[in-house]
Amino acid sequence: MPLFDYVGTTDQGKVRKGRLNAANRQEALLQIARQGLTIRSVNEHSDSIWYKELSLGRTVKLQDKVVFLRQFATIVKAGVTVSEALEILGDQEEKNKYFKSVIQQMATDLREGQSLSRAFQNQAKVFSPMIIHMIRAGEGSGRLEESLDHLATYYDRLHRSQQKLATTMVYPFFVLLMSVGVVIFLLTTIIPMFRSMFAGLHVQLPLITRVILLLSDWIRVFWPVLIILLFVLILLISIVFRNKSSKLRLDYAIIKLPLIGTLVYKSELSRLLWMLALLLSSSVPVIDALRSVEKITSNLAIRLAIHNVSQALDFGRPLSEAFHQEKLFPPIIFHMTAIGEKTGMLDQMLNHVAHYYENDVEQMTERMKALIEPVVILFLAVIVGVIVLAIVIPMFQIYQNF
């Protein structure tokens, strides 16, 4: 369906710009007229080659969603209507043109009489099922501002935890990449300079030197093979991630890894429990909340476990028992859920467990940072040291013979 850009004015003289879907220009004019706007211009939208909204580029960063939800909650709390709040946020969004069009389309949906939750659901590619459930619950309970505020707080915490985890992993990856670059440079540029010198001396070279010289020759001759092997490895990894059963086994293996696996596992548990507690506190039914959590989880092993929990609830079992049957979830979740069910404070108990895991993840991240830095530096020093020794040892032997 074609897109149309329009400019109109309200009864108060305010200029409104937007973009909408319509079968033709006449239908676009009717949609604008229903909004109570005086039409100034309507043109079919066509992106130039310099500005093309490719589907590949239609992404919204987590940080942008945090800012949007926080500002949305603040503006609505100030007494501004929801549709006007979306118009304000759409007008001020300049960094992400796609997100701007999404917000403007939501404002258009509201003016056409759709509910806010429906407007969010129409943009399901951008907003997760959790956000849609929370908005729907907020509308039903009359606590929309509170739901928006909770969502902004949750996604802010999620963004900060992801940033910390990424920062922890980026440093060793960068050092490893630098190590590979240094080794390749030494083997392809520096080592060959000494080959002719060693060959002219007609002496028996140490084993370490012979191995390094052989490796240098192999890399310089067979570097196209290495590139092909790297390409094949990337292709195989992508195939594994596309295959559901292979990815399930891989995800299960990841969470069983020492240190890194434990960190990923606890971080995922913390995020899921926060999410579940938030949905339950907004009066979302337990089964619906679990299904929303299941859709958001990236790890297939944990997703399958949550799916099994929701299925157990379909058969009438209590949540605590369903958690207890899934061996992937630690006993603390079962015990705290059972206490929450008995006391009627399930969301608060889940909140406590989520907070416990969040603190644990933060402490593990700090410990890993302190541990990884010296390890990767030592790794780089050992690799470079071996190559340097391969050159230095035969030179010492030569000097001793003279």
Side-chain angles (χ1 to χ4, degrees):
M1 190 174 288
L3 286 170
F4 290 88
D5 293 319
Y6 67 87
V7 179
T9 54
T10 64
D11 294 337
Q12 292 78 28
K14 292 182 179 179
V15 177
R16 293 282 183 233
K17 297 179 182 179
R19 185 177 298 163
L20 50 80
N21 294 303
N24 50 49
R25 181 181 172 85
Q26 191 63 32
E27 185 181 329
L29 291 169
L30 287 172
Q31 286 188 35
I32 299 165
R34 287 195 205 106
Q35 299 174 24
L37 298 175
T38 302
I39 301 168
R40 293 174 62 176
S41 66
V42 178
N43 298 301
E44 187 169 351
H45 177 74
S46 59
D47 290 330
S48 68
I49 193 169
W50 304 108
Y51 177 69
K52 189 76 174 170
E53 287 187 345
L54 298 174
S55 58
L56 190 64
R58 295 191 172 195
T59 57
V60 181
K61 294 179 181 178
L62 182 59
Q63 188 175 6
D64 293 338
K65 293 180 188 178
V66 171
V67 173
F68 166 73
L69 290 168
R70 184 70 71 192
Q71 291 179 340
F72 195 14
T74 303
I75 294 171
V76 172
K77 277 182 182 178
V80 180
T81 62
V82 174
S83 59
E84 286 180 346
L86 287 173
E87 288 173 2
I88 293 168
L89 293 170
D91 289 340
Q92 76 174 27
E93 178 58 54
E94 296 298 335
K95 291 190 299 180
N96 189 326
K97 298 296 182 184
Y98 171 61
F99 195 29
K100 182 183 183 75
S101 67
V102 166
I103 298 170
Q104 289 175 338
Q105 183 59 50
M106 289 167 64
T108 301
D109 292 343
L110 283 175
R111 287 193 295 267
E112 290 176 355
Q114 296 185 34
S115 64
L116 181 61
S117 57
R118 183 63 189 175
F120 270 90
Q121 193 169 354
N122 292 341
Q123 306 298 332
K125 289 182 179 179
V126 176
F127 300 107
S128 66
M130 176 188 173
I131 293 178
I132 297 166
H133 275 305
M134 287 288 291
I135 296 295
R136 187 179 293 120
E139 283 181 316
S141 62
R143 298 186 299 173
L144 180 61
E145 304 94 332
E146 188 178 330
S147 294
L148 289 169
D149 206 39
H150 285 325
L151 281 170
T153 302
Y154 165 75
Y155 278 102
D156 188 32
R157 294 170 88 162
L158 176 61
H159 176 67
R160 282 189 280 111
S161 65
Q162 287 182 351
Q163 288 292 99
K164 286 180 181 178
L165 190 60
T167 304
T168 305
M169 301 308 297
V170 161
Y171 178 77
F173 177 76
F174 177 75
V175 173
L176 182 63
L177 199 63
M178 288 293 294
S179 303
V180 172
V182 168
V183 168
I184 291 174
F185 173 75
L186 290 173
L187 291 175
T188 57
T189 307
I190 305 300
I191 296 298
M193 294 179 182
F194 291 90
R195 169 173 280 284
S196 56
M197 183 183 76
F198 292 149
L201 296 173
H202 304 291
V203 295
Q204 178 67 27
L205 296 174
L207 177 62
I208 186 173
T209 306
R210 295 199 303 271
V211 170
I212 293 297
L213 288 173
L214 184 65
L215 187 60
S216 173
D217 292 339
W218 196 89
I219 289 175
R220 286 189 296 118
V221 173
F222 295 104
W223 64 266
V225 177
L226 289 175
I227 293 175
I228 292 170
L229 288 174
L230 181 62
F231 177 76
V232 170
L233 179 63
I234 294 170
L235 186 63
L236 286 173
I237 291 171
S238 66
I239 290 171
V240 166
F241 274 97
R242 286 178 185 175
N243 184 280
K244 193 171 181 180
S245 60
S246 299
K247 189 176 186 306
L248 176 62
R249 287 193 292 269
L250 182 64
D251 284 349
Y252 190 79
I254 287 172
I255 62 177
K256 292 297 180 182
L257 288 172
L259 291 178
I260 298 294
T262 305
L263 185 64
V264 170
Y265 173 64
K266 290 186 176 181
S267 178
E268 195 74 15
L269 279 183
S270 172
R271 187 163 71 95
L272 297 179
L273 292 169
W274 278 124
M275 211 180 297
L276 189 57
L278 194 58
L279 289 167
L280 294 177
S281 67
S282 299
S283 303
V284 175
V286 179
I287 293 178
D288 290 341
L290 283 169
R291 285 170 183 163
S292 294
V293 170
E294 178 190 339
K295 290 176 184 176
I296 295 170
T297 310
S298 57
N299 188 290
L300 281 186
I302 297 176
R303 181 182 295 181
L304 179 62
I306 295 169
H307 179 72
N308 293 338
V309 169
S310 63
Q311 279 193 326
L313 262 65
D314 284 333
F315 287 106
R317 292 174 184 166
L319 183 61
S320 57
E321 185 182 328
F323 273 129
H324 187 56
Q325 287 180 340
E326 284 302 314
K327 302 303 180 186
L328 199 64
F329 296 113
I332 188 174
I333 296 179
F334 155 67
H335 290 299
M336 295 297 280
T337 305
I339 293 169
E341 286 174 330
K342 289 177 183 176
T343 59
M345 297 189 297
L346 182 58
D347 56 327
Q348 294 180 36
M349 292 299 107
L350 291 173
N351 236 325
H352 289 318
V353 183
H355 189 64
Y356 163 76
Y357 279 118
E358 185 181 44
N359 290 337
D360 203 11
V361 167
E362 286 184 3
Q363 291 174 12
M364 283 188 67
T365 303
E366 293 302 320
R367 287 197 299 269
M368 282 187 65
K369 270 173 146 182
L371 179 66
I372 285 174
E373 289 183 16
V375 168
V376 293
I377 291 171
L378 181 63
F379 173 74
L380 177 59
V382 168
I383 290 178
V384 175
V386 168
I387 296 173
V388 171
L389 281 174
I391 299 171
V392 171
I393 290 174
M395 292 180 71
F396 271 118
Q397 291 178 344
I398 293 167
Y399 291 143
Q400 286 175 354
N401 291 335
F402 281 104

